[in-house]
Amino acid sequence: EVQLLESGGGLVQPGGSLRLSCAASQFTFSSHDMNWVRQGPGKGLEWVARFNGDTGLRDYVDSVKGRFTVSRDNSQNTLYLQMNSLTVEDTAVYYCVRDTGGWGRFDQWGQGTLVTVSA
Amino acid sequence: EIMMTQTPLSLSVTPGQSASISCKSNQSLLHSGVRTYLYWYLQKAGQPPQLLIYEVSNRFSGVPDRFSGSGSGTDFTLTISRVEAEDVGIYYCMQSIHFPRTFGQGTKLEIQ
């Protein structure tokens, strides 16, 4: 069974940093685009970042550009999200999401990890 | 950024009746005249979202055939025929023709 297991969430002060990890298993991790999608408390879904499995290209939503960095280690089947200069608006559950086909077919989602930015 | 607008934002349906959710984009989601990158996801309470429909009208593996998607260009519809109690949750459309990927606001489906 395909699994995506996020970790690394927690409470951080505004301006702080956090690194999220997503451990993938039971599929060929390297051949898939991987994404982070977040959901603020009581809010809808917001796509955050993508790491293209073929090209290594990375894409971000404007609100995190320059602050967040998505990376991956295919040897460890792990996706990362380095988050710097965090603000209260970044408070959310962060989901690791597999894209099959590279065009938004988000067919596997992790359970999410909660990031809370608060003083 | 492509804006996705869903209507209604909530609906209450009697079991066995049908329900429809509209999703409109402010740009065409048709790519190279071939594929249209519009998806539907359902988020049940306390769970991550799950894929229902990809590329407008294709049901994902395991999705009951009472779920159907239709539309083209900028106007799309998710229809649930014979609504069941397990269909309760929030439905989101999403476009992926351009970055950033963007979701609709979500439509909350309740059972009467």
Side-chain angles (χ1 to χ4, degrees), chain A residues 33 35 37 39 43-47 50 59-62 95 99 102-111, chain B residues 1 31 37 39 41 43 46-51 54-55 60 92 94 96-97 99-105:
Chain A
D33 289 4
N35 298 258
V37 173
Q39 186 169 37
K43 296 186 178 180
L45 302 171
E46 180 182 38
W47 173 84
R50 177 197 79 158
D59 299 278
Y60 301 93
V61 67
D62 281 352
Y95 295 103
D99 182 344
W103 281 97
R105 192 185 306 186
F106 293 171
D107 62 349
Q108 294 291 335
W109 297 63
Q111 289 298 311
Chain B
E1 176 172 319
H31 183 265
Y37 293 112
Y39 299 79
Y41 296 90
Q43 186 174 30
Q47 296 182 21
Q50 59 190 77
L51 176 62
Y54 62 95
E55 295 173 24
F60 184 57
Y92 296 93
M94 186 196 82
S96 62
I97 191 171
F99 288 98
R101 310 308 198 196
T102 47
F103 292 88
Q105 316 96 302

Side-chain angles (χ1 to χ4, degrees), chain A residues 76-94:
Chain A
Q76 297 293 320
N77 292 341
T78 302
L79 180 73
Y80 301 100
L81 186 66
Q82 177 66 44
M83 305 185 295
N84 299 330
S85 303
L86 285 160
T87 72
V88 294
E89 287 73 33
D90 296 316
T91 295
V93 172
Y94 285 74

Side-chain angles (χ1 to χ4, degrees), chain B residues 23-94:
Chain B
C23 175
K24 297 181 187 295
S25 59
N26 62 354
Q27 293 181 38
S28 176
L29 304 185
L30 177 63
H31 183 265
S32 300
V34 178
R35 290 186 171 179
T36 301
Y37 293 112
L38 184 283
Y39 299 79
W40 290 97
Y41 296 90
L42 165 61
Q43 186 174 30
K44 298 182 179 181
Q47 296 182 21
Q50 59 190 77
L51 176 62
L52 292 177
I53 302 286
Y54 62 95
E55 295 173 24
V56 179
S57 59
N58 299 283
R59 274 188 303 277
F60 184 57
S61 174
V63 175
D65 60 7
R66 64 178 182 277
F67 289 90
S68 63
S70 62
S72 63
T74 61
D75 289 357
F76 306 94
T77 301
L78 175 70
T79 300
I80 313 166
S81 61
R82 308 181 306 279
V83 169
E84 298 185 5
E86 67 178 24
D87 301 335
V88 165
I90 302 176
Y91 292 79
Y92 296 93
C93 62
M94 186 196 82

Side-chain angles (χ1 to χ4, degrees), chain A residues 15-105:
Chain A
S17 298
L18 215 53
R19 188 175 86 154
L20 306 183
S21 300
C22 169
S25 59
Q26 301 303 314
F27 68 97
T28 307
F29 179 74
S30 60
S31 65
H32 287 266
D33 289 4
M34 295 297 297
N35 298 258
W36 290 99
V37 173
R38 67 184 178 183
Q39 186 169 37
K43 296 186 178 180
L45 302 171
E46 180 182 38
W47 173 84
V48 174
R50 177 197 79 158
F51 196 116
N52 184 298
D54 290 331
T55 66
L57 287 175
R58 311 170 201 200
D59 299 278
Y60 301 93
V61 67
D62 281 352
S63 61
V64 308
K65 281 180 182 176
R67 300 188 301 122
F68 289 13
T69 301
V70 61
S71 62
R72 64 196 291 167
D73 182 343
N74 288 337
S75 69
Q76 297 293 320
N77 292 341
T78 302
L79 180 73
Y80 301 100
L81 186 66
Q82 177 66 44
M83 305 185 295
N84 299 330
S85 303
L86 285 160
T87 72
V88 294
E89 287 73 33
D90 296 316
T91 295
V93 172
Y94 285 74
Y95 295 103
C96 171
V97 185
R98 185 180 81 170
D99 182 344
T100 293
W103 281 97
R105 192 185 306 186

